[in-house]
Amino acid sequence: MTLNTLVLILSLFAIQGNGKENDSMEMRLEKGHALMETVFDRFHINYEMSRLHKVGYYKESVSDSASVYYLAEGIVDIYIPCNLNKTENAYVSPIKARKKVFKEVDSESLLLGNASDMARSSIWRPNSFLDEKHRDDYKFSYSSDDTFKGSDVAIVEFEPRKEHGTTMGRIYVDKNSYAIVKIEYQPIIIKSRVWKNITWTEEFTYRSGAYELTNVHFHGEGSDNHYQYDATLIMDQLEVVSKFPEHEVFFQDEVPLFDRAQDELDESFWEGFNFLRQNITTDQLLTAKNH
């Protein structure tokens, strides 16, 4: 980090309150880019780099403004490639799964491969807007100060600066570690036959010396139908692994994760996985009584 960058970062964190009304756009851009330069420099320090085995809770639903069509949830094994691997998504294998169909939905309308895509953060996902080869496509502008999970954060807004940029959103940066602890972003959709709009939210938690992706939420609205799609993935790290198991059957993008799910909603579903349930809010759980 250069001396000029350090001076800009210190001036950013010395601002009291929002600061947005008093800063010119040029100054906010300068502060935003200085802050993100430090964030990028610390990627390999702040985040777990190893190949990981996690267990997760995944839920998805299809609904419209009036009712729910389909709900499904599962406990899944997740194997995430080393973060230096920029070509692979995560591999997902269901441990147990259940679903409830309230109205028939065409299988083509389900979220194929979504759990695998969600398990890798935007920090390391192949072709992400935060990837080194794409960062220059974006403008990063300091927005304000805030708190997130009890920590002081700076919020940086980003948007495309060139025609190659495809995403816009907000990045929450921890002021002490310069780690990204939350990202909210929307892909810019132009003339899509599938999506009208999409919103992603990713949250990171500091555990055992490094930050890791723990909560992801996806919301999308179909462009040619009235469906709304929601998916949530909550993960808990189990272990660092040297290689992926060869005996497990992983679900790829062309196979629905809940193709062979059970239609049972009793409490036995959680046996052995109460540690996951403790991290899930009531409204994230699959319940039939309210639908």
Side-chain angles (χ1 to χ4, degrees):
M1 178 168 55
T2 66
L3 179 60
N4 288 337
T5 299
L6 179 60
V7 170
L8 282 170
I9 295 296
L10 291 175
S11 68
L12 168 64
F13 290 158
I15 294 176
Q16 299 297 319
N18 186 293
K20 190 171 184 178
E21 295 180 357
N22 298 323
D23 284 345
S24 67
M25 176 58 72
E26 182 178 354
M27 179 60 76
R28 294 203 303 271
L29 284 168
E30 191 172 8
K31 291 176 180 178
H33 278 275
L35 178 57
M36 292 307 297
E37 179 181 329
T38 306
V39 169
F40 294 140
D41 284 345
R42 297 195 176 194
F43 267 6
H44 292 77
I45 299 174
N46 280 328
Y47 298 95
E48 177 62 67
M49 299 297 297
S50 305
R51 185 182 289 107
L52 298 176
H53 172 208
K54 296 189 175 188
V55 65
Y57 167 82
Y58 176 74
K59 172 189 169 184
E60 66 182 27
S61 66
V62 179
S63 63
D64 61 20
S65 59
S67 59
V68 175
Y69 287 68
Y70 165 88
L71 276 170
E73 67 181 353
I75 307 297
V76 293
D77 262 331
I78 304 168
Y79 291 89
I80 302 175
C82 168
N83 281 324
L84 294 177
N85 183 333
K86 296 299 184 70
T87 61
E88 294 184 79
N89 280 326
Y91 295 89
V92 176
S93 177
I95 299 173
K96 56 174 68 177
R98 60 185 181 178
K99 65 182 178 182
K100 192 73 175 179
V101 178
F102 301 93
K103 298 181 181 180
E104 289 299 324
V105 179
D106 192 314
S107 61
E108 294 183 358
S109 298
L110 300 181
L111 298 172
L112 306 186
N114 208 51
S116 175
D117 196 32
M118 294 171 76
R120 291 207 76 176
S121 75
S122 295
I123 293 173
W124 305 111
R125 187 183 301 130
N127 298 314
S128 165
F129 53 90
L130 293 177
D131 188 271
E132 187 173 5
K133 64 183 179 182
H134 296 304
R135 295 170 191 168
D136 289 342
D137 294 338
Y138 294 92
K139 295 185 291 186
F140 297 97
S141 174
Y142 166 73
S143 173
S144 61
D145 292 342
D146 206 338
T147 58
F148 177 71
K149 293 183 177 179
S151 298
D152 293 330
V153 297
I155 298 177
V156 176
E157 297 177 347
F158 68 97
E159 61 182 355
R161 73 158 76 234
K162 300 178 180 180
E163 61 182 11
H164 299 297
T166 60
T167 311
M168 61 186 298
R170 292 157 61 91
I171 299 171
Y172 294 64
V173 179
D174 183 274
K175 288 186 177 184
N176 293 319
S177 64
Y178 301 99
I180 294 174
V181 293
K182 182 179 180 180
I183 314 174
E184 302 168 335
Y185 60 97
Q186 304 83 40
I188 297 173
I189 298 173
I190 301 175
K191 297 180 179 180
S192 171
R193 295 182 179 181
V194 180
W195 297 110
K196 180 179 179 181
N197 60 67
I198 293 174
T199 301
W200 289 80
T201 303
E202 301 178 9
E203 296 182 5
F204 301 81
T205 302
Y206 186 79
R207 294 175 177 169
S208 303
Y211 288 87
E212 59 180 275
L213 181 65
T214 51
N215 295 63
V216 189
H217 183 75
F218 168 92
H219 175 79
E221 296 182 23
S223 61
D224 59 353
N225 57 46
H226 54 286
Y227 292 149
Q228 296 183 29
Y229 303 82
D230 285 278
T232 298
L233 178 64
I234 298 174
M235 295 182 287
D236 194 4
Q237 182 174 328
L238 291 183
E239 58 185 343
V240 174
V241 293
S242 59
K243 63 180 181 178
F244 294 159
E246 298 178 356
H247 65 279
E248 288 214 43
V249 177
F250 295 108
F251 276 56
Q252 303 301 320
D253 291 357
E254 69 274 8
V255 181
L257 181 63
F258 300 105
D259 192 39
R260 293 185 290 273
Q262 300 297 312
D263 189 15
E264 296 290 339
L265 300 181
D266 60 73
E267 290 299 301
S268 64
F269 178 80
W270 291 102
E271 290 180 1
F273 296 96
N274 280 324
F275 67 96
L276 267 180
R277 190 175 190 177
Q278 294 173 3
N279 296 323
I280 303 168
T281 60
T282 301
D283 63 335
Q284 290 172 325
L285 293 171
L286 188 156
T287 57
K289 62 182 179 181
N290 295 323
H291 302 288

